Structure formats: structure tokens, C-alpha cells
Amino acid sequence: MTDPARQDQRQDHQRQDQLKAELLAVALEAADRAGDLLRDGRPADLGVAATKSSAVDVVTEMDLASEKLITDFFAERRPGDGVLGEEGANHEGTSGVQWVIDPIDGTVNYLYGRPDWAVSIAARKDGETFVGVVHAPVRGETFRAVLGQGAYVGDTPLRVRTAPPFEQALVGTGFGYIAERRVRQAEVVAQLLPRVRDIRRGGSAAIDLCDVAAGRLDAYYERGLNPWDFAAGDLIAREAGARTGGRPGEPLSGELTVAGPPGLFEPLQSLLDGLGAWHD
Ligand code: IPD
Ligand code: CA
């Protein structure tokens, strides 16, 4: 005799796995299409369409075109889903699934023709990120993760580096666009730099989190991120074995984002908390 409760549970799992597989396929296709548009359609005279929080926080015509392509694609493939995008897309939806989209993470790199920029797409449901895709066309890399199913770059499984001694850690970070915040961020990094191997500032938070997942950085932290910057990369880092969070005991947020392998994450998080990396 089959236990009906168990059978229900099994069916729930199956339905959830099917949903995750569908969301991953849709996210990969959207990211691929947007990536082609951005890589192949980048005008030689790319200009700034608008600025956001400050004169150096730019939006290009291609950020806007990429977000439109992605949201149009979701409207066609998954019309009931909600969307939240960096360039203003914000729609509730009815399915319980919400897409969190950064149409170009690393806009300043893109503007200057530097390679480290990505399309970042995450799907959330019931407060959890189910799927994350970070597609970096010029690097020729697509990072992906499904909750509970591991993280990959292409078909290669991702694994964080084992925690090194603190003073040997290569730590990525980033800086906000507002001058007052940067003053504080500079003070924090000045305290951290003498205590670690070195610091990297790549220019795309989504790629930084994937680099932790791939063992190309030992750890990463930043204050002032938005959900579209970290949603996909956070899942990819966690599925590769990283711990992620904000201040000690808090989930990662705009206040503070920290990622690293167990053994390095905890002392880094605690040091950053003590240095006041979470406030301006
Ligand atoms: C920025 C990048 C950068 C980080 C900034 C983000 P954008 O996103 O992720 O690395 O330091 O905090 O705002 O503006 O290029 O989409
Ligand atoms: Ca961004």
C-alpha cells in the first residue's frame, strides 16, 4: 500500500523539479538572446542615455534595450510571472514566480569596452531563489544554478576554493556610485587590504559572486547592492558551496553582502561588521 501523504509529497517534488527545469530553460534562453544583442549590437559610439544615483551611475541605450528584450520574452513565454528589473520593470504577476533581472551588470565596463559585464537573471518563488543565470558573453561563460541541484559554468560543476588562512585570501569588492558612500567604503578597504593577500574590483557584482563560486576569488563583499545585482550570483555561489549573508545572523541585503567558503566567510563577515562596512 502506498502512503497517500508520501505520494502527495513525491508529486509536489516532481512538480517543483519540473518548474525549476522550465524556469532554467527560459532564463538561459532570455540571457542568451540579450547577450547576443548586447555583444553584437554594441554601437561603436555607445552613449549614456541617462544617469541614476549620480553622474557616474549611467544607463546606456543598451541597458534599456536588453531589459525590454528580456521582459518581452518573459511576457510571451511565462505571461503570469512577475518581473523586477534594474531599469524600471516592475510587475506583480499571478503565478507566484518573480524574475529579478539585471539587463547589464557591469554597465561601466560595458560602456568602456571592458569584458566583465553580464546579463543576470534569477527566478524566485515563495521567498526562495529557484534559479540563477549569469551570462557573460565576452568572457564566453554562462554560470547557472538551480536550488538544491548545484552550480555550473557550461557543463562544468562549480566549487568554491577551500578557505585559505585569512591573510592569504584574495577578496573581491565593489564601490557604490555615491561619493559619500565611497568615502566609508575606502576607509573599510584601507583596513582590510593589509590583512589579506589582495583586493580585486571587477566591476560586476554578479560576476564577482560567480568568481567566488568558481574559485577565482576566495571571497567577496560589498555594501549597497540591489536584488538584481546579487539574486542570481548568490544562488550560484551557495550552490557551489559558499556561505553568503549580510551582517552576522542576517541574510544578504543592500546593507551588506558577503560571500566565501566556510572558514573564511565567518571571520570576514565578523571583521567587516566590526569595521562598519554595513553603514555609510
Ligand atoms: C554595479 C556593479 C558593480 C557594483 C555596483 C553595482 P551596474 O551594477 O555590479 O560591480 O560595485 O554596486 O551597482 O550599475 O553595473 O548594473
Ligand atoms: Ca547591476
Side-chain angles (χ1 to χ4, degrees), residues 57 86 102 104-107 174-175 177 201 203-205 222 225 229:
D57 184 2
E86 173 160 23
D102 196 335
I104 308 179
D105 188 53
T107 302
F175 308 112
Y177 290 111
R201 197 293 191 243
S204 159
E222 186 164 346
L225 295 182
D229 300 312

Side-chain angles (χ1 to χ4, degrees), residues 91-121:
H91 157 69
E92 278 280 322
T94 51
S95 65
V97 172
Q98 185 195 44
W99 294 99
V100 185
I101 304 158
D102 196 335
I104 308 179
D105 188 53
T107 302
V108 175
N109 284 345
Y110 183 74
L111 184 66
Y112 279 74
R114 299 175 63 85
D116 280 357
W117 54 269
V119 178
S120 172
I121 299 178

Side-chain angles (χ1 to χ4, degrees), residues 53 172-189 192 201 205 208 220-227 229-230 245-247 251-259 272-273 275-280:
S53 59
T173 190
F175 308 112
Y177 290 111
I178 301 166
E180 297 78 52
R181 172 161 297 172
R182 286 180 167 187
V183 171
R184 187 89 263 283
Q185 287 177 319
E187 285 163 4
V188 171
V189 87
L192 185 61
R201 197 293 191 243
D208 289 333
Y220 163 75
Y221 78 95
E222 186 164 346
R223 164 167 170 73
L225 295 182
N226 286 294
D229 300 312
F230 63 67
R247 296 190 65 193
L252 84 186
S253 70
E255 192 172 51
L256 185 64
T257 294
V258 187
L272 290 167
D273 194 54
L275 294 175
W278 47 276
H279 63 77
D280 292 342

Side-chain angles (χ1 to χ4, degrees), residues 15-38:
R15 270 195 293 270
Q16 212 167 70
D17 282 350
Q18 273 165 8
L19 175 66
K20 286 175 179 168
E22 186 187 334
L23 296 176
L24 176 65
V26 175
L28 284 168
E29 192 170 344
D32 198 49
R33 288 182 182 207
D36 286 356
L37 169 87
L38 292 165

Side-chain angles (χ1 to χ4, degrees), residues 53-101:
S53 59
S54 80
V56 289
D57 184 2
V58 298
V59 185
T60 69
E61 64 205 81
M62 298 305 281
D63 288 85
L64 302 171
S66 172
E67 182 157 302
K68 181 165 185 332
L69 181 152
I70 296 166
T71 53
D72 285 353
F73 183 73
F74 288 148
E76 186 194 313
R77 291 292 174 91
R78 301 224 8 125
D81 295 352
V83 290
L84 174 69
E86 173 160 23
E87 307 312 337
N90 194 349
H91 157 69
E92 278 280 322
T94 51
S95 65
V97 172
Q98 185 195 44
W99 294 99
V100 185
I101 304 158

